[in-house]
Amino acid sequence: MRLGVAPHRLWPAHEDDLDGVLDIARTAEELGFDHLIASSHLLAGAVGVTPDPLVLLSAVAGATTRIGLVTSVLILPLYNPVVVAHQTATLDRISGGRFTLGVGTGWDTAEFEAAGVPFAGRGRRTDEQLHVVRKLWRDEAEVRLGVRPRTPGGPPVWVGGHSDAALRRALRYGDAWHGSGLDAAGLAEVRGRLAELGEEAGRDPATPLELTAGLMLVPPGFETTVQPPGRRPLGGADPSAERVREELRRLADAGLSACSLWLPVATGALTDALGWVAEEILSPLSEE
């Protein structure tokens, strides 16, 4: 299983919590993490502040050399698909093919109102936009992007969401399904639903979707600065290294190929928390 991490604490409270993201990104790369994730909210709100994911990952691309770059997730219906296709192709090009586009439909009506975009119909528009973005990346549209992506056919696409509509979207347009907050039993259920829907959709069983997920982790000895509602962290309320490793093993057995970690610890403790994850989780699992 590939392990990634966010380059800032979960839900930064203030802009200063983002000032060290490039240092954290370099540290994560040095520690051996597979990828870095960046989420997408236009407005500050109950979940704090959020940098623009494509701008953040572009800066990270220039500060690193190997680590992958993933939007987890870009709220696609807020954006013009031609602009997104060009931005992401550019990021894939300048990063040496390290970019992955994770997308979702969004849930915050205030963001849609502020952007002047209808909230209703966002799922259907996301389908249409993914179709357009894919065609532009592949140079199959009536217009040609200003920059073609480095990755042949375009970067990988991770499609988020747990509804049947989201799973069908992942089967139709995605290279991976991207969930959140799942245990092994929940992941197995999603895998079964994808198999059924894939058969209905006529997806080639020889090219199954990857299963990916974003999960919370509070390493032992670290204090939680925010409490994600309804989301059980890895290892439970009283985690240990062995509990976390065992839970990740069960997820891997259920089919999870990439896990992206959000660490809800204080910004000043984030480097130490990453070091714990690298030593107690990443290194032992990579040796198995």
Side-chain angles (χ1 to χ4, degrees):
M1 180 191 296
R2 309 188 305 276
L3 281 184
V5 71
H8 55 74
R9 57 163 272 194
L10 175 67
W11 300 346
H14 306 287
E15 281 78 5
D16 335 2
D17 288 328
L18 302 169
D19 291 347
V21 289
L22 298 186
D23 290 334
I24 295 293
R26 283 187 285 261
T27 297
E29 181 171 68
E30 290 164 5
L31 289 171
F33 286 93
D34 176 76
H35 59 275
L36 293 161
I37 54 174
S39 64
S40 171
H41 286 290
L42 295 181
L43 305 178
V47 295
V49 301
T50 306
D52 180 276
L54 297 178
V55 173
L56 172 62
L57 293 177
S58 296
V60 168
T64 57
T65 59
R66 175 200 60 80
I67 199 163
L69 314 164
V70 183
T71 54
S72 177
V73 290
L74 185 76
I75 308 305
L76 192 59
L78 290 172
Y79 299 88
N80 179 293
V82 180
V83 175
V84 167
H86 188 215
Q87 290 175 316
T88 52
T90 302
L91 179 49
D92 187 65
R93 168 70 48 185
I94 64 173
S95 69
R98 291 187 278 148
F99 177 64
T100 294
L101 176 62
V103 301
T105 59
W107 53 267
D108 189 345
T109 55
E111 290 184 304
F112 283 79
E113 184 178 350
V117 175
F119 186 72
R122 65 195 187 282
R124 173 184 50 78
R125 293 199 311 277
T126 299
D127 290 345
E128 294 168 354
Q129 289 168 307
L130 283 170
H131 177 70
V132 170
V133 167
R134 287 285 206 187
K135 285 188 72 172
L136 287 163
W137 282 347
R138 293 168 178 161
D139 218 1
E140 296 171 353
E142 294 180 3
V143 294
R144 188 199 140 179
L145 288 176
V147 172
R148 293 188 179 102
R150 183 177 295 271
T151 304
V157 174
W158 293 2
V159 178
H162 292 245
S163 68
D164 280 356
L167 299 183
R168 288 190 180 97
R169 183 174 304 120
L171 287 162
R172 205 160 34 234
Y173 301 108
D175 301 287
W177 173 77
H178 190 51
S180 64
L182 286 172
D183 60 12
L187 186 67
E189 180 186 346
V190 169
R191 189 177 183 180
R193 288 166 63 201
L194 283 167
E196 291 174 12
L197 294 170
E199 189 172 344
E200 291 174 16
R203 184 178 175 111
D204 184 354
T207 57
L209 279 177
E210 262 198 297
L211 301 179
T212 67
L215 299 171
M216 309 291 172
L217 173 62
V218 183
F222 291 82
E223 297 211 4
T224 306
T225 54
V226 292
Q227 189 59 50
R231 296 189 182 183
R232 176 185 174 277
L234 275 170
D238 185 24
S240 66
E242 184 49 43
R243 283 197 197 99
V244 173
R245 288 194 297 265
E246 183 53 36
E247 195 163 334
L248 287 172
R249 289 187 194 103
R250 289 197 297 269
L251 283 163
D253 289 343
L256 195 69
S257 59
C259 174
S260 305
L261 298 175
W262 289 98
L263 305 177
V265 303
T267 297
L270 188 55
T271 299
D272 289 339
L274 285 179
W276 184 92
V277 176
E279 182 176 354
E280 299 291 344
I281 308 300
L282 182 60
S283 182
L285 289 181
S286 65
E287 293 172 359
E288 293 181 0

